[in-house]
């Protein structure tokens, strides 16, 4: 009963989708889901109230509406389904099938982000059903997908993170699949590297250092996590990660013999060792 109640609280729409914006001394704009700066102003992002049917479900996080718009869900990533000759990721078909069944007899409305479309021209949105169910959060709460935050689209971050934490603790969906078990930082090599799929890496941060555009959390001589400086306001304790044991989540990239994981938001980082 407790789990069902927590899921119900996670998936219903509530009023915690605020996004704040401010500018630093150089004129650079920054975004957060809480007013971390005194001069921050809350953006007025109006939700949509027109309901539409879903025409096609591509996978667990992408659909086409009856009006032809292709929608990419904000804040969540589900495993890939088989496409273009590539095999399905573990859990990909399960997420797609759940979404197809969920949307079969209901209509949805959209809540947009700060960015309206992605580089592929897809509309970025949260999907809300006629019964006020938040599809993005439900996918995460059921372990069918993981949190995937792209600033400045920071709506519903707290709900998404809470849903993921509860799903992980309950070992639902992907959190009970060996394919998504964390890999030790020292074992990240060619055999582990896969730039197309979401992965988890754990290890102790040996150093924190900056370059022109990024701050790096160095785990080993061949693996580091990278935070772009534009997103540093979201990571206020970045220097405190030195010497801590962390899990980082995302997609690996490779540069020569070095592997890097880009962290866009603190939700992609889990502290495995207390800060005190």
């Amino acid at each position: 009963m407790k789990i069902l109640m927590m899921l119900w609280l996670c998936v219903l729409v509530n009023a915690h989708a605020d996004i704040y914006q401010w500018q630093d001394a150089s004129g650079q704009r920054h975004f957060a889901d809480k007013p971390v700066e005194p001069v921050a102003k809350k953006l007025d992002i109006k939700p949509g109230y027109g309901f539409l049917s879903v025409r096609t479900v591509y996978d667990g996080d992408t659909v086409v509406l009856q009006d032809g718009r292709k929608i990419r869900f904000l804040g969540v990533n589900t495993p890939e389904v088989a496409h273009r000759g590539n095999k399905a990721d573990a859990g990909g078909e399960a997420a797609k099938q759940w979404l197809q069944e969920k949307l079969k007899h209901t209509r949805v409305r959209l809540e947009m982000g700060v960015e309206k479309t992605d580089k592929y021209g897809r509309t970025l949105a949260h999907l809300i059903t006629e019964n006020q169910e938040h599809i993005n959060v439900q996918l995460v709460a059921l372990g069918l997908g993981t949190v995937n935050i792209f600033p400045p689209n920071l709506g519903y971050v707290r709900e998404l993170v809470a849903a993921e934490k509860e799903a992980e603790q309950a070992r639902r969906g992907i959190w009970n699949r060996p394919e998504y078990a964390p890999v030790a930082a020292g074992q990240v090599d060619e055999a582990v590297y896969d730039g197309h799929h979401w992965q988890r890496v754990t290890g102790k941060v040996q150093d924190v250092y900056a370059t022109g555009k990024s701050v790096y959390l160095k785990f080993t001589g061949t693996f580091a996590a990278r935070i772009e400086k534009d997103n540093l306001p979201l990571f206020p304790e970045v220097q405190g990660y030195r010497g801590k044991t962390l899990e980082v989540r995302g997609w690996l990239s490779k540069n020569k013999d070095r592997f890097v994981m880009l962290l866009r938001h603190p939700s992609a980082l889990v502290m495995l060792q207390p800060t005190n």
Side-chain angles (χ1 to χ4, degrees):
M1 181 63 70
K2 180 179 179 181
I3 291 176
L4 290 175
M5 180 61 71
M6 290 184 70
L7 272 174
W8 181 251
L9 291 174
C10 282
V11 299
L12 290 181
V13 178
N14 50 49
H16 297 296
D18 295 338
I19 301 176
Y20 296 85
Q21 174 187 319
W22 73 95
Q23 287 187 332
D24 60 26
S26 65
Q28 178 69 43
R29 290 191 303 168
H30 299 284
F31 299 86
D33 63 339
K34 53 188 175 182
V36 296
E37 290 290 326
V39 295
K41 65 177 182 179
K42 186 166 71 172
L43 298 183
D44 183 19
I45 300 177
K46 293 180 172 60
Y49 290 101
F51 287 94
L52 294 170
S53 297
V54 172
R55 188 172 73 194
T56 305
V57 174
Y58 272 84
D59 54 30
D61 55 37
T62 309
V63 300
V64 175
L65 300 180
Q66 67 184 59
D67 63 5
R69 282 181 292 172
K70 192 170 187 178
I71 311 300
R72 175 60 169 87
F73 297 177
L74 281 170
V76 58
N77 178 74
T78 61
E80 296 293 330
V81 298
H83 68 290
R84 297 179 182 176
N86 297 317
K87 294 182 180 179
D89 292 343
E93 287 299 329
K96 179 179 178 179
Q97 290 172 14
W98 178 88
L99 189 61
Q100 286 176 321
E101 188 64 27
K102 188 68 178 178
L103 299 179
K104 186 183 298 184
H105 301 299
T106 188
R107 297 183 302 165
V108 298
R109 64 178 175 85
L110 306 181
E111 286 200 16
M112 315 288 278
V114 174
E115 296 176 325
K116 306 306 180 187
T117 59
D118 65 10
K119 63 182 179 180
Y120 304 109
R122 300 176 299 187
T123 298
L124 300 172
H126 292 266
L127 258 65
I128 314 299
T129 71
E130 292 174 297
N131 294 325
Q132 290 297 292
E133 295 173 299
H134 192 160
I135 295 298
N136 308 49
V137 178
Q138 278 197 341
L139 284 163
V140 175
L142 294 172
L144 297 171
T146 57
V147 172
N148 185 31
I149 305 299
F150 274 68
N153 301 308
L154 300 171
Y156 295 106
V157 165
R158 283 171 284 180
E159 289 76 9
L160 289 162
V161 171
E164 181 174 78
K165 182 177 180 180
E166 206 276 326
E168 183 178 0
Q169 291 175 343
R171 298 186 63 80
R172 295 192 195 98
I174 69 167
W175 303 107
N176 197 37
R177 288 183 174 269
E179 297 90 346
Y180 300 106
V183 176
Q187 296 177 349
V188 176
D189 55 18
E190 288 288 352
V192 170
Y193 168 65
D194 187 337
H196 299 290
H197 305 290
W198 182 87
Q199 295 179 271
R200 303 162 66 193
V201 178
T202 61
K204 185 175 182 179
V205 178
Q206 305 297 326
D207 192 17
V208 179
Y209 64 93
T211 62
K213 295 183 179 180
S214 300
V215 169
Y216 287 84
L217 311 182
K218 177 184 176 182
F219 288 79
T220 70
T222 57
F223 174 73
R226 180 171 71 91
I227 303 169
E228 294 175 341
K229 287 187 175 179
D230 287 350
N231 291 329
L232 276 181
L234 298 171
F235 296 82
E237 306 298 329
V238 66
Q239 291 298 326
Y241 296 142
R242 184 183 285 104
K244 305 304 182 203
T245 301
L246 310 177
E247 178 181 306
V248 291
R249 302 168 174 179
W251 289 261
L252 290 170
S253 62
K254 184 184 177 187
N255 183 10
K256 297 181 179 179
D257 60 348
R258 188 182 183 204
F259 301 91
V260 177
M261 181 177 287
L262 177 61
L263 308 181
R264 294 185 174 88
H265 186 269
S267 57
L269 182 156
V270 177
M271 186 77 67
L272 300 181
Q273 176 180 316
T275 56
N276 295 322

